[in-house]
Amino acid sequence: MKKNNPWSPCEPTSKDPWDLRKVAHLHRRAGFGASWAELQRDLAEGPAESIERLLHPLAEDEQFRRVADALKQATGALRDNYAAPRDSRPARVWWLYRMAYGGDPLGEKLTLFWHNHFATGLRGVYNLRLMLEQNELFRQHARGKFGELLRAVESDRAMLVWLDGGSNRKEQPNENFARELLELFTLGTGNYTEADVRAAARGLTGWQQGRDNILNKTNEFSYQEELADTSTKTLLGQTGPWRRDDILRIVLEQPAAAMHLCRRLYRWFVSESAAPSDEFIAPLAAELRATNYSIEHVVGIMLRSRHFFSPNAYRQRVKSPVEFCVGAIRQLEPPRTPNLLTLVAMSCERQGQILFDPPSVKGWEGGRAWLNSNGMLMRLNWIAELLGGNSKAALPAYDPEKWAKEHALELSKAIESFCELLLQDDVSAATISQARELANGAKEKLPQALQVLLQAPEYQLA
């Protein structure tokens, strides 16, 4: 790409150096926020190594994997293929553990993106095991080729239940998956017709859902060739006896598919404050198509770009409840008490984001919708609980002095250090003044001062 292209790589200069603000911005967007040690490491190593580490992380640590596996077993979802545990919080705790303590923040951020893109809810699937399988599917394909992910989603058991794929018959086509495939997953509104929806639905027939008896369906699906509609159909201007693979191929051949996906990725990683023009997104879409829909390639372009590190991108997204809560944990590094992530799951639920159960096929609206009066109150309550502790849940109060000592920072400059950790230069003078006045050199008042920073308007923004 040309140097004057906003998607060309950002090259630090003496006037626009690689600084703490850029490092923190990178971690908020490509993950959920960074610890003090991570910020200092990436500040010293520069943008190339920092971004490379996010794109290609090391293998999971053995201890982390053992704990994650134990938490997954504790969900109870793996013991029974049909029954859904009533309480999904243990599953949410498992995923929150991966986000808060894992070594692949970008992988988890992409997994969350796909969960919102192919929004599937437990209240319609009624089986937590299927939801966990889908979550692992998203993680497996997170950085890969979108076409491979799309094919995996089309045959995913949770999706087949959610959008009635097992009820799609050539005698009576069910259009649910076909409609969302074109509208939400690939092309976007205005880039297909109702005739295309009907043609896609006919081409996607062939799945059969198993039954224990005439009344009770199972969660097993099989593809039956004789049930597929092999008659001639016209989809997006192409005519033939199209089947599953043909339908997905034809859809991804449309230029609108790459544009739609790049717009969604732009909103997720760069900015949700303004809709970018077609001309602005077109270079990304071209790169996506040229690399056979490589997500890693396009996300890498975004993260390295001049535009990503420009004022047009800083603090231009509202943190979702999950980003807000997990980010605070990754940054402040509170003790890993047994109930901490359960409290996070409960707080996210109160703020309106229940993992494994988005509100509709459109996912969470995001943006300013998170900043409603109830959501903001629940955010403030979470910060108060994280800092003040919860004796009933055996959550101790947060100790800012301990954090400063662990990072060899002067206690007298703790507020300045926390400003650098949490807000960098993106904070009002009034907020800093209030925090300093509260601390006033007394270490017992540091939690109150820290609460001012965490409740600042700027901290609500990613």
Side-chain angles (χ1 to χ4, degrees):
M1 290 187 177
K2 297 179 181 179
K3 284 193 174 183
N4 61 351
N5 188 310
W7 298 116
S8 62
C10 177
E11 298 177 357
T13 66
S14 58
K15 292 184 178 180
D16 185 23
W18 177 249
D19 55 16
L20 198 64
R21 189 168 183 249
K22 288 184 172 65
V23 178
H25 170 72
L26 172 65
H27 280 279
R28 286 195 305 272
R29 296 300 179 77
F32 302 89
S35 68
W36 181 265
E38 289 169 332
L39 290 178
Q40 300 306 313
R41 176 200 65 196
D42 289 353
L43 180 62
E45 294 187 358
E49 289 190 42
S50 302
I51 295 170
E52 177 65 19
R53 186 182 295 108
L54 288 162
L55 290 170
H56 302 110
L58 297 174
E60 286 183 353
D61 175 78
E62 179 62 30
Q63 182 177 356
F64 169 82
R65 185 164 53 249
R66 285 201 303 269
V67 174
D69 288 347
L71 289 172
K72 193 173 184 182
Q73 289 291 335
T75 66
L78 305 185
R79 292 193 293 269
D80 194 320
N81 195 33
Y82 303 117
R86 293 180 180 179
D87 187 2
S88 66
R89 277 184 192 157
R92 286 181 262 155
V93 167
W94 164 73
W95 193 3
L96 288 167
Y97 176 81
R98 297 192 61 89
M99 295 183 203
Y101 304 123
D104 183 15
L106 177 58
E108 295 305 322
K109 194 68 170 283
L110 279 165
T111 301
L112 186 58
F113 170 80
W114 294 124
H115 178 42
N116 196 53
H117 185 81
F118 295 107
T120 308
L122 183 59
R123 71 192 178 285
V125 175
Y126 303 113
N127 189 287
L128 191 54
R129 178 169 182 163
L130 269 57
M131 296 301 299
L132 292 178
E133 287 178 358
Q134 186 186 75
N135 186 267
E136 293 286 22
L137 182 152
F138 292 152
R139 187 170 292 105
Q140 175 188 350
H141 293 279
R143 293 171 166 84
K145 302 296 177 66
F146 179 67
E148 295 177 8
L149 171 58
L150 189 61
R151 288 178 179 85
V153 167
E154 188 269 337
S155 60
D156 171 61
R157 294 197 297 169
M159 184 61 75
L160 286 168
V161 173
W162 178 245
L163 291 180
D164 305 302
S167 303
N168 187 13
R169 300 281 186 269
K170 59 183 176 181
E171 300 84 5
Q172 190 174 6
N174 184 303
E175 298 177 0
N176 287 353
F177 180 80
R179 184 172 300 281
E180 307 313 341
L181 169 70
L182 301 181
E183 179 180 346
L184 300 177
F185 303 161
T186 58
L187 301 182
T189 304
N191 295 303
Y192 63 91
T193 67
E194 285 299 308
D196 291 323
V197 173
R198 291 191 292 271
R202 289 168 55 205
L204 293 167
T205 53
W207 286 105
Q208 184 175 55
Q209 189 170 8
R211 290 180 178 274
D212 284 334
N213 53 51
I214 196 170
L215 296 177
N216 297 321
K217 296 179 180 179
T218 71
N219 290 312
E220 301 300 331
F221 293 84
S222 60
Y223 188 77
Q224 306 292 330
E225 297 286 344
E226 65 274 14
L227 299 180
D229 185 337
T230 59
S231 63
T232 299
K233 50 192 76 72
T234 299
L235 173 67
L236 298 164
Q238 298 189 38
T239 301
W242 309 134
R243 305 274 291 279
R244 293 164 56 207
D245 286 345
D246 301 310
I247 299 299
L248 302 183
R249 172 185 57 78
I250 292 169
V251 168
L252 292 182
E253 286 173 355
Q254 309 305 306
M259 291 289 289
H260 179 72
L261 185 55
C262 285
R263 284 185 176 280
R264 295 292 296 266
L265 288 167
Y266 180 90
R267 180 177 171 85
W268 189 257
F269 286 105
V270 184
S271 174
E272 60 189 9
S273 62
S277 67
D278 287 349
E279 292 75 17
F280 194 78
I281 292 296
L284 290 177
E287 290 286 338
L288 188 63
R289 297 187 72 189
T291 56
N292 194 22
Y293 281 83
S294 170
I295 300 303
E296 179 185 300
H297 179 72
V298 169
V299 170
I301 290 174
M302 288 183 175
L303 298 182
R304 296 185 182 98
S305 71
R306 294 168 56 240
H307 180 69
F308 180 79
F309 289 109
S310 74
N312 293 318
Y314 287 119
R315 306 280 180 185
Q316 295 299 310
R317 290 190 67 254
V318 177
K319 293 176 182 176
S320 70
V322 167
E323 290 173 306
F324 182 80
C325 294
V326 171
I329 290 173
R330 289 193 75 106
Q331 291 172 315
L332 296 177
E333 304 169 274
R336 299 187 185 187
T337 54
N339 289 323
L340 174 60
L341 295 179
T342 300
L343 294 174
V344 171
M346 294 169 63
S347 178
C348 291
E349 181 178 343
R350 291 167 185 151
Q351 292 176 52
Q353 189 172 28
I354 305 175
L355 293 175
F356 299 108
D357 215 1
S360 72
V361 291
K362 294 183 178 180
W364 292 284
E365 180 181 348
R368 294 181 178 273
W370 292 126
L371 301 181
N372 57 63
S373 56
N374 180 71
M376 284 303 302
L377 177 61
M378 293 302 104
R379 287 189 184 215
L380 301 184
N381 287 347
W382 160 243
I383 291 302
E385 186 173 45
L386 177 64
L387 297 179
N390 183 329
S391 58
K392 293 182 179 179
L395 179 71
Y398 182 71
D399 187 350
E401 183 180 5
K402 181 181 178 183
W403 177 86
K405 287 181 178 179
E406 287 177 348
H407 294 288
L409 299 169
E410 293 182 35
L411 188 60
S412 61
K413 298 181 179 178
I415 288 302
E416 283 72 16
S417 297
F418 277 116
C419 279
E420 290 183 10
L421 172 71
L422 302 171
L423 292 160
Q424 301 81 53
D425 294 331
D426 301 321
V427 59
S428 70
T431 296
I432 295 178
S433 177
Q434 184 183 3
R436 285 174 178 159
E437 185 177 342
L438 273 171
N440 196 27
K443 63 181 182 181
E444 63 272 11
K445 293 185 179 180
L446 273 176
Q448 295 171 266
L450 181 54
Q451 186 164 343
V452 169
L453 300 181
L454 291 165
Q455 293 177 352
E458 297 86 353
Y459 189 72
Q460 315 310 308
L461 305 176

